[in-house]
Amino acid sequence: MLRHLPNLITLLRIALVVPLCLLILDRQWPQALAVAFIAGASDALDGFLAKHFGWQSWLGGMLDPLADKLLLTAAFVTLALVAAIPAWLTVLIVARDLVIVVGAIGYHALIGRFDAAPTRLSKWTTVVQIAFVLYTLLRLTQWIAQVPELDAALVALTVALTLASGLHYVIVWGQRAIMQRRSRP
């Protein structure tokens, strides 16, 4: 039964999407920060449990990145809706994720089963996006002072990793698709 604990934690993380959005839209910054922190910590916990105890599964490999995408997309969209972050940054992040999802669906339909294992670059992108959301919520609580230089650096890092990981996925999976198509009789 414990073997399914990482997947249960991932499902609970997905369940945090709605409360996070509502708290951000209501500008309840400390509560939104707490929910976002719990979501981020649960991501680390389910990954640790799955790897440490060998409880990895195909379902978990699909659910975990889905949970990350749902939470991050929801957080970025709602933060942009309340004008806490630039809307163009949200558009960039959502566009990258849409390209990846459309590519995965296309790969699955045309080539075969899609392995959703994230790349190291994608993992770093997710970590930086989570840190950006947590930092933004922490700043909105006014528990820390706004530092324009830090804001600009975090935006630049988030943009750079988002673009790099999106391009990396397109190149790697595009090459795999071409190789698979060529190797078929």
Side-chain angles (χ1 to χ4, degrees), residues 1-15 42-43 45-51 54-67:
M1 186 65 179
L2 289 177
R3 172 173 189 33
H4 302 289
L5 187 57
N7 291 345
L8 179 60
I9 293 170
T10 300
L11 290 172
L12 291 173
R13 189 163 74 249
I14 291 170
S42 74
D43 187 25
L45 178 62
D46 69 27
F48 169 78
L49 291 173
K51 287 182 182 83
W55 294 342
Q56 296 162 313
S57 66
W58 180 84
L59 178 62
M62 298 303 285
L63 283 178
D64 188 65
L66 175 65

Side-chain angles (χ1 to χ4, degrees), residues 19-20 23-24 27-37 137 141 143:
L20 179 62
L23 290 167
I24 291 171
R27 292 174 169 78
Q28 295 182 27
W29 306 127
Q31 297 89 335
L33 176 61
V35 170
F37 180 81
L137 290 171
T141 65
W143 293 348

Side-chain angles (χ1 to χ4, degrees), residues 10-180:
T10 300
L11 290 172
L12 291 173
R13 189 163 74 249
I14 291 170
L16 293 176
V17 171
V18 172
L20 179 62
C21 290
L22 293 175
L23 290 167
I24 291 171
L25 291 171
D26 287 344
R27 292 174 169 78
Q28 295 182 27
W29 306 127
Q31 297 89 335
L33 176 61
V35 170
F37 180 81
I38 290 167
S42 74
D43 187 25
L45 178 62
D46 69 27
F48 169 78
L49 291 173
K51 287 182 182 83
H52 184 72
F53 294 106
W55 294 342
Q56 296 162 313
S57 66
W58 180 84
L59 178 62
M62 298 303 285
L63 283 178
D64 188 65
L66 175 65
D68 292 343
K69 293 303 143 216
L70 287 173
L71 267 164
L72 285 170
T73 299
F76 275 94
V77 167
T78 52
L79 285 168
L81 286 174
V82 297
I85 62 171
W88 63 263
L89 180 59
T90 298
V91 170
L92 175 68
I93 289 167
V94 171
R96 172 209 175 247
D97 292 342
L98 283 174
V99 165
I100 292 170
V101 169
V102 169
I105 291 169
Y107 188 93
H108 183 76
L110 299 172
I111 306 298
R113 187 171 170 168
F114 179 78
D115 176 19
T119 65
R120 182 169 285 157
L121 181 58
S122 179
K123 287 178 184 181
W124 277 108
T125 302
T126 299
V127 167
V128 167
Q129 288 177 354
I130 290 169
F132 182 87
V133 168
L134 291 173
Y135 168 78
T136 300
L137 290 171
L138 186 60
R139 187 176 45 76
L140 290 168
T141 65
Q142 297 181 348
W143 293 348
I144 61 171
Q146 184 169 7
V147 180
E149 296 81 12
L150 181 57
D151 291 354
L154 279 173
V155 167
L157 182 59
T158 302
V159 168
L161 286 175
T162 299
L163 289 171
S165 65
L167 184 59
H168 183 256
Y169 269 115
V170 169
I171 292 169
V172 168
W173 285 98
Q175 288 174 340
R176 286 184 188 176
I178 290 167
M179 299 286 279
Q180 287 291 327

